[in-house]
Amino acid sequence: MSEGKFEKAERVGADADKLEQARPYQEKLQALGRSVVASLHMLVRNVKLYDPENDIFAKPLEQLKEAMNTVISIDEALNLQGAGESFYLNNMLIKIDLSSLENVRYLLREFERRNVGGFVLTQRITIPELRNFIYIFSKESDENVGE
């Protein structure tokens, strides 16, 4: 092996400094991810009971819009993927507490039922766009699924 390919690390603390700087970013993304999943769960579940134009959706739609747009402004994209019994936001596992586990499972089943693994946003989203997405995503399909 050539000695020129390897360099001696001067300071072990440099990586620790980077980790310390990344911690607030990770915590912020975790909080935003939990907010996105919780809001999506509530909206997908309740749009089956109420018209999407109902005032009951005003605050949750605003919260979801703000959380999504914040993620997009931080990372230039929002990539929400469901896998197993978990959600990943921009390739980071969203850590949830036990009290939210059933909500996550419900949302994952809704994704699975529609054969959707997740979605990606690269531009800021508006309330009307979110309302349309929730309505379309939550519609019950009358078509029979093939074998």
Side-chain angles (χ1 to χ4, degrees):
M1 282 192 211
S2 169
E3 289 182 34
K5 292 184 180 179
F6 294 94
E7 294 181 25
K8 180 181 171 187
E10 293 298 319
R11 209 179 102 196
V12 175
D15 288 337
D17 291 344
K18 287 180 184 177
L19 256 123
E20 197 60 38
Q21 290 171 357
R23 187 167 292 136
Y25 163 81
Q26 295 276 338
E27 290 170 359
K28 176 86 171 169
L29 208 54
Q30 281 291 328
L32 290 167
R34 286 189 293 272
S35 177
V36 166
V37 169
S39 295
L40 270 175
H41 165 260
M42 194 282 295
L43 290 164
V44 167
R45 185 191 69 216
N46 288 339
V47 80
K48 294 176 182 181
L49 304 172
Y50 303 99
D51 182 77
E53 300 295 327
N54 193 310
D55 288 341
I56 195 172
F57 296 114
K59 186 175 179 181
L61 282 169
E62 183 63 35
Q63 289 172 335
L64 181 58
K65 179 193 82 152
E66 287 303 314
M68 288 178 148
N69 287 340
T70 301
V71 171
I72 292 168
S73 67
I74 291 172
D75 278 353
E76 298 179 5
L78 180 147
N79 182 348
L80 183 69
Q81 300 293 320
E85 290 197 357
S86 303
F87 276 102
Y88 292 81
L89 179 64
N90 294 354
N91 297 321
M92 181 182 68
L93 174 66
I94 299 173
K95 298 173 187 169
I96 57 157
D97 54 36
L98 233 36
S99 64
S100 301
L101 188 58
E102 193 52 43
N103 298 347
V104 168
R105 286 180 179 156
Y106 174 87
L107 193 55
L108 285 165
R109 282 191 304 270
E110 292 295 311
F111 272 49
E112 188 176 297
R113 196 163 65 94
R114 288 164 182 79
N115 202 25
V116 173
F119 59 88
V120 177
L121 295 171
T122 56
Q123 297 178 358
R124 295 177 64 81
I125 194 160
T126 65
I127 296 287
E129 291 168 332
L130 266 178
R131 186 178 286 121
N132 288 339
F133 169 75
I134 297 296
Y135 176 71
I136 291 168
F137 186 79
S138 298
K139 278 178 90 172
E140 295 295 328
S141 177
D142 294 334
E143 298 176 16
N144 290 333
V145 179
E147 291 185 27

